[in-house]
Amino acid sequence: MLTYALGLGYRGEITEIRPGDPNATEKPFELEYDFTRPEFFDWSSKTGRLDLPLPSFHLPEADADKEQSSKPIEFGPPSDITYRLKLSLPPKYQTRLPVPITVTRDYAEYHSSYKLEGDSLIAERTLRVRQSEIPGGRAQDYLAFLNSTQADARQFVSVKTDLAVTPSFPDSMKLEELMKAAGAAEDNENYPLAEELLKRVLAKEPKHKLAHGRLGYVLLQQGKIDDATAALREQTKINPFDDSAYKVLAQVLWAQKKYDEAEAAFRKQIEVTPLDESAHGSLGRLLIDRRKYKEAVPELEQAISLDPDEAPGYEINLGQAYANLGQTSKAIEAFDRAIKLSHEPRTLNDVAYNLSVNNLQLDKAQQYAEEAVTGMATNLRDAKLEHLTTDDLDHVKSLAAYWDTLGWIHF
């Protein structure tokens, strides 16, 4: 049955297959089955999205640029296919359903419907093909039809609950299943649950090749610094060539102000994984904190090459290093590159602050600081007191900091 499920594009198991009577040709053939997929959704999360596990309709591709005389678009014999899904949801979840659509042409029609019956979601999608082919000159018309069906297939169900849900994990779960569940909990920032699951892994296999490192990370996220340090040190003993444990350990040691050990751990990570995207940048920032500006420069330059997404921040750090080395022209060049890469309020503010504390281009510093304040104020324009989000609160905190930067420049 698993092979059948995979053939439909599922990752799970289909059981209890109930076929209709193939001899009853006067009515459509029906096939019912039960579908089970472990870890389909992390129900410990308060919010999330569910992609509906329905098979896809196989419709031909077409080229809108083909000339009128191109060959026909072939559908095959006329057909009528309906997929129905009944998905059981946990109680006390608020659900936002997909939008039903109907698209009708002379050659085919498509319908979808979505509704709730108690704690069950009922989804239905129907495709009726009336003609075996249409002229190639109707490609644009057909592509609009095809795009509508594909857009409907991409719709998902949003779920939300105000309750703290604690999932149940049986003792019989295998190590791989526990690790996957812990990963899902991490992704949803449910670090206490991830910690519990990883400790269960280690109870079964104390020398597990990955679990100590993962445990160290989730402990760090909870502020359990001493326990995180112990777990990460154990990980480096079990696997001295771990591809991430040293840099996480370095972050923990940095938080404990054990700067020499943190620097050594970052350098060990780079020795093990020379092209690590974040280790060079983190080491560069640590070296700036330690006023080792000359050593910070090559690390930050490598970080900019390795991790373009973080390049604006690294360019600002590079500018800091050059400014403290007295190389003002290189510092200004780095700050300018940061602005070109990102015009976000945070980048504008950080460049403005660093220009001002180094008494460089104060006119530009004021311009950037004013833009940062305006940009963050714009982000808060639509915030509502009755529906404040954590992002809104972060924006308020940032806005205060940006005003502080602007005030410092005027001072």
Side-chain angles (χ1 to χ4, degrees):
M1 300 310 171
L2 181 58
T3 302
Y4 180 73
L6 294 175
L8 289 175
Y10 295 162
R11 292 296 179 267
E13 184 176 3
I14 290 179
T15 58
E16 301 296 327
I17 295 180
R18 301 177 291 278
D21 183 1
N23 295 317
T25 55
E26 72 281 1
K27 61 180 182 180
F29 178 75
E30 294 185 355
L31 178 67
E32 296 184 10
Y33 50 84
D34 296 334
F35 171 58
T36 303
R37 177 179 169 182
E39 302 165 20
F40 175 64
F41 183 74
D42 178 16
W43 296 108
S44 66
S45 173
K46 290 188 176 183
T47 61
R49 52 178 282 177
L50 298 174
D51 294 309
L52 298 180
L54 282 166
S56 301
F57 292 108
H58 299 290
L59 288 166
E61 296 295 329
D63 188 346
D65 296 327
K66 284 186 176 180
E67 298 180 356
Q68 296 288 329
S69 59
S70 64
K71 66 180 182 179
I73 300 170
E74 298 179 349
F75 299 112
S79 60
D80 189 335
I81 301 173
T82 298
Y83 294 129
R84 295 186 185 92
L85 168 70
K86 181 178 181 181
L87 181 64
S88 298
L89 303 172
K92 300 183 180 178
Y93 266 82
Q94 302 169 32
T95 306
R96 183 173 62 81
L97 298 176
V99 177
I101 67 168
T102 295
V103 187
T104 303
R105 300 287 193 273
D106 59 328
Y107 51 84
E109 63 180 87
Y110 176 86
H111 305 278
S112 67
S113 65
Y114 308 96
K115 61 182 179 179
L116 283 174
E117 293 184 357
D119 292 327
S120 294
L121 163 68
I122 310 298
E124 184 172 303
R125 293 172 180 163
T126 297
L127 174 67
R128 295 187 178 94
V129 177
R130 298 192 179 103
Q131 300 178 22
S132 59
E133 62 180 41
I134 58 174
R138 298 189 63 183
Q140 289 187 334
D141 175 7
Y142 169 66
L143 282 174
F145 178 87
L146 177 63
N147 290 338
S148 296
T149 67
Q150 292 175 340
D152 188 49
R154 291 192 297 269
Q155 290 199 89
F156 56 86
V157 178
S158 296
V159 293
K160 177 182 178 181
T161 182
D162 295 325
L163 301 177
V165 181
T166 303
S168 174
F169 297 98
D171 294 336
S172 59
M173 285 184 71
K174 298 177 181 179
L175 290 177
E176 312 87 76
E177 294 171 334
L178 288 168
M179 289 294 287
K180 287 181 180 179
E186 282 181 51
D187 290 342
N188 286 287
E189 299 182 0
N190 190 341
Y191 299 117
L193 177 60
E195 176 186 350
E196 175 192 336
L197 292 167
L198 290 165
K199 285 181 175 178
R200 284 179 58 180
V201 170
L202 292 170
K204 290 174 178 282
E205 188 175 324
K207 299 293 184 181
H208 191 279
K209 63 180 181 179
L210 298 174
H212 285 284
R214 293 269 296 278
L215 178 61
Y217 173 77
V218 300
L219 290 169
L220 173 61
Q221 297 304 310
Q222 297 175 81
K224 299 179 179 180
I225 303 299
D226 291 338
D227 291 341
T229 303
L232 290 161
R233 289 194 189 281
E234 185 63 24
Q235 181 65 37
T236 61
K237 291 177 184 177
I238 292 171
N239 181 9
F241 299 97
D242 190 282
D243 63 2
S244 63
Y246 292 105
K247 65 180 179 182
V248 181
L249 175 60
Q251 295 287 356
V252 175
L253 294 167
W254 192 352
Q256 294 173 299
K257 299 183 179 180
K258 297 179 179 179
Y259 301 118
D260 288 337
E261 293 182 68
E263 180 180 339
F266 277 131
R267 293 191 185 281
K268 183 63 177 178
Q269 186 67 71
I270 292 169
E271 177 187 328
V272 173
T273 53
L275 299 180
D276 186 281
E277 287 188 352
S278 63
H280 287 280
S282 295
L283 176 58
R285 287 168 172 166
L286 173 62
L287 292 169
I288 286 177
D289 276 2
R290 305 195 71 194
R291 301 185 180 182
K292 296 183 177 182
Y293 303 115
K294 189 174 183 179
E295 293 180 48
V297 168
E299 300 301 334
L300 292 166
E301 287 176 339
Q302 290 186 68
I304 290 166
S305 297
L306 290 169
D307 194 358
D309 291 341
E310 295 297 322
Y314 292 144
E315 290 284 10
I316 293 172
N317 299 139
L318 187 60
Q320 288 178 277
Y322 279 130
N324 282 281
L325 289 169
Q327 300 180 37
T328 56
S329 60
K330 287 187 176 181
I332 290 171
E333 288 173 3
F335 293 141
D336 286 345
R337 288 195 297 270
I339 294 294
K340 287 179 181 178
L341 289 168
S342 170
H343 221 69
E344 293 295 315
R346 178 176 178 178
T347 304
L348 291 163
N349 175 78
D350 290 353
V351 170
Y353 177 79
N354 279 284
L355 287 172
S356 65
V357 296
N358 289 287
N359 201 28
L360 300 172
Q361 296 185 322
L362 295 182
D363 54 339
K364 275 193 174 181
Q366 180 177 337
Q367 174 193 337
Y368 295 152
E370 290 173 348
E371 288 182 30
V373 168
T374 301
M376 190 53 64
T378 301
N379 289 340
L380 282 165
R381 184 173 297 163
D382 296 328
K384 293 180 173 57
L385 285 175
E386 62 273 21
H387 296 297
L388 282 178
T389 66
T390 54
D391 285 343
D392 293 332
L393 298 176
D394 287 341
H395 289 161
V396 171
K397 183 178 179 181
S398 296
L399 183 58
Y402 299 171
W403 273 113
D404 185 63
T405 298
L406 185 57
W408 174 257
I409 295 168
H410 282 290
F411 178 78

